Amino acid sequence: MNPLAGFLPLLPLLLPLLLPLLAITACGGPESGAGASGAEAESAVAGSTGGGAATVRPGIDVLLADSSHLIDGRRVGLITNRSGVGRDGTSSIDLLHGYADAELTALFAPEHGIRGTEAEGSAIDDAIDEGTGLPIYSLYGETRAPTPEMLAAVDVLAFDIQDIGARYYTYVSTMAYAMEAAGRAGVPMIVLDRPNPIGGLTQGPVLDPAFATFVGLYPVPVRHGLTAGELARLYRGAFGVEVELHVVPAAGWSAERWFDETDLPWIAPSLNMPSLESATHYPGTCLFEGTNLSVGRGTPTAFQVLGAPWLDGEAWVAEIAAVAGAEEAAGAEAAAGIARLPGVEIRAVAFTPESPSDGRFRGEEISGIRLTVTDRSAYDPVRTAVAALLAARRLSGDAWEWRVRHFDRLAGSDGLRLAIDRGAPLDEITSQWAADVAAFETLRRPYLLYPR
């Protein structure tokens, strides 16, 4: 099923009507796509494409320097966590609390909490922020959207969290729910944008709307290639979220730049996202969360390693090479526990999860594989992960278990799981994604803020 097929025949007719409504205005009025000034918006999409790290200003800095009219004289609510910081590392909480011309009145905590220290899936409680004395309302507990009571003292609601570039990262679902709640309450929403750390590529299957959950709400690919601000524009323009939306772009960034090609510090947005390397593999290796294998939680290399006690890492590497048709190219390396797929090296390793948040194989040395990116432009983490899934499924026998509901909501349908179970060829599985991805790239075009 192609969940976007219905859009394609209408796009040539709709785009001329939509584009005037979606254009970025200079002053960030009620229908604007960006809150920055004309000069700032131009800077945001100019980007540096030369050598060295680009000077990038996240949306919070742009807001306070150039677009403060969006909050001046207003009471502000802020959805954030520890990844919401200015260029100098000051938290967005402190920056807004110290801004004299607006009043920060409420904080909202997503999954992992306001400090990003809670385990995945753990309910977050309401609290009081020690630094400011402000209420912290949980958006990952009994409610996942701001209630009218939470918004009673809020004139404008801001979102400032570092996204990771994968459909299944719940912060952007929190953003979408907050947009809906703000729209119902008549409260404008501001997204303070940040770079997509893994760039603008789109890869993997598009979610079937029948499988929409908080893990993935809308028909976008696993690797969507958008920033949180661009996603917000897409949610509003293509998927019908009604809210007065302002996106303050990240100045100086362009979508071909990865996070380490900026001068911004990496701050882990959640406990098991320790590095850009982990984020690069995450769109693929996170699929293993829907099985009974370890994804390396409880190690310094979460989502870079995979394993289980019943697997032999070297045999797994060789089987991955066979599944991917790479055994001849791998040659002697495959026999030594090394395989090279496009853009990635896969090597047999052993690792021991210590205090893993998912409880898998705590304190037990297990055999598995480690993935290391060798060419980011050639690497497809989702296709690579499917090769690893097919191989692990063949080798595991009766030890294999699906977490069916979770895997299907990650994959975006039950099709991938069923194909793996029947041992379908890798190319047959992944070739089905191309049409959906192309349709999505057409659909998203009017909502882009940065050059590609």
Side-chain angles (χ1 to χ4, degrees), residues 240-263:
V241 176
E242 296 183 3
V243 67
E244 180 184 323
L245 175 67
H246 308 270
V247 175
V248 181
W253 185 72
S254 55
E256 72 271 12
R257 285 197 177 273
W258 289 58
F259 199 87
D260 60 0
E261 296 174 311
T262 75
D263 58 354

Side-chain angles (χ1 to χ4, degrees), residues 96-425:
L96 287 173
H97 190 248
Y99 180 67
D101 293 333
E103 181 185 4
L104 184 63
T105 55
L107 302 174
F108 297 85
E111 185 179 11
H112 305 293
I114 203 83
R115 303 300 176 194
T117 56
E118 302 300 320
E120 72 280 358
S122 297
I124 305 301
D125 295 326
D126 292 347
I128 298 296
D129 181 56
E130 293 182 1
T132 63
L134 294 173
I136 303 174
Y137 297 115
S138 170
L139 299 183
Y140 199 80
E142 293 182 2
T143 180
R144 296 195 174 178
T147 65
E149 292 75 19
M150 294 176 186
L151 295 175
V154 171
D155 299 319
V156 60
L157 184 60
F159 177 91
D160 187 13
I161 298 178
Q162 178 64 63
D163 186 37
I164 218 66
R167 183 183 69 226
Y168 31 73
Y169 210 54
T170 62
Y171 297 151
V172 291
S173 295
T174 294
M175 178 183 72
Y177 280 13
M179 289 169 61
E180 292 175 347
R184 290 191 297 268
V187 173
M189 181 90 176
I190 302 173
V191 176
L192 304 174
D193 215 9
R194 296 181 174 273
N196 183 324
I198 59 174
L201 295 177
T202 49
Q203 294 166 329
V206 171
L207 180 139
D208 180 338
F211 288 79
T213 68
F214 190 70
V215 171
L217 289 174
Y218 299 112
V220 304
V222 169
R223 185 177 180 182
H224 50 68
L226 300 175
T227 65
E230 290 173 322
L231 281 171
R233 285 162 56 83
L234 179 72
Y235 295 166
R236 180 179 178 274
F239 301 133
V241 176
E242 296 183 3
V243 67
E244 180 184 323
L245 175 67
H246 308 270
V247 175
V248 181
W253 185 72
S254 55
E256 72 271 12
R257 285 197 177 273
W258 289 58
F259 199 87
D260 60 0
E261 296 174 311
T262 75
D263 58 354
L264 297 175
W266 178 266
I267 298 174
S270 57
L271 286 174
N272 287 282
M273 201 57 63
S275 66
L276 181 59
E277 181 79 14
S278 289
T280 305
H281 299 296
Y282 179 82
T285 53
C286 184
L287 289 169
F288 279 84
E289 300 258 66
T291 74
N292 58 338
L293 275 67
S294 169
V295 297
R297 292 184 184 274
T299 77
T301 52
F303 299 107
Q304 302 173 43
V305 295
L306 302 164
W310 59 85
L311 287 171
D312 177 272
E314 292 185 0
W316 191 4
V317 168
E319 189 69 19
I320 291 170
V323 164
E327 67 272 27
E328 183 176 344
E333 284 191 332
I338 303 172
R340 300 184 190 279
L341 273 61
V344 65
E345 177 189 274
I346 305 173
R347 182 182 295 266
V349 296
F351 61 93
T352 303
E354 301 291 348
S355 301
S357 55
D358 58 7
R360 298 184 188 185
F361 315 122
R362 183 188 307 271
E364 184 175 354
E365 183 176 272
I366 58 178
S367 180
I369 58 174
R370 179 166 184 174
L371 291 79
T372 304
V373 176
T374 57
D375 182 351
R376 296 191 296 206
S377 65
Y379 180 41
D380 185 334
V382 190
R383 187 179 192 276
T384 300
V386 173
L389 282 160
L390 284 163
R393 182 73 178 91
R394 293 179 185 179
L395 295 173
S396 293
D398 292 341
W400 182 268
E401 294 178 9
W402 291 109
R403 309 292 193 252
V404 172
R405 180 176 179 274
H406 189 43
F407 186 89
D408 290 355
R409 66 181 185 172
L410 291 170
S413 76
D414 59 2
L416 178 56
R417 175 175 53 82
L418 295 174
I420 292 169
D421 266 345
R422 71 173 184 269

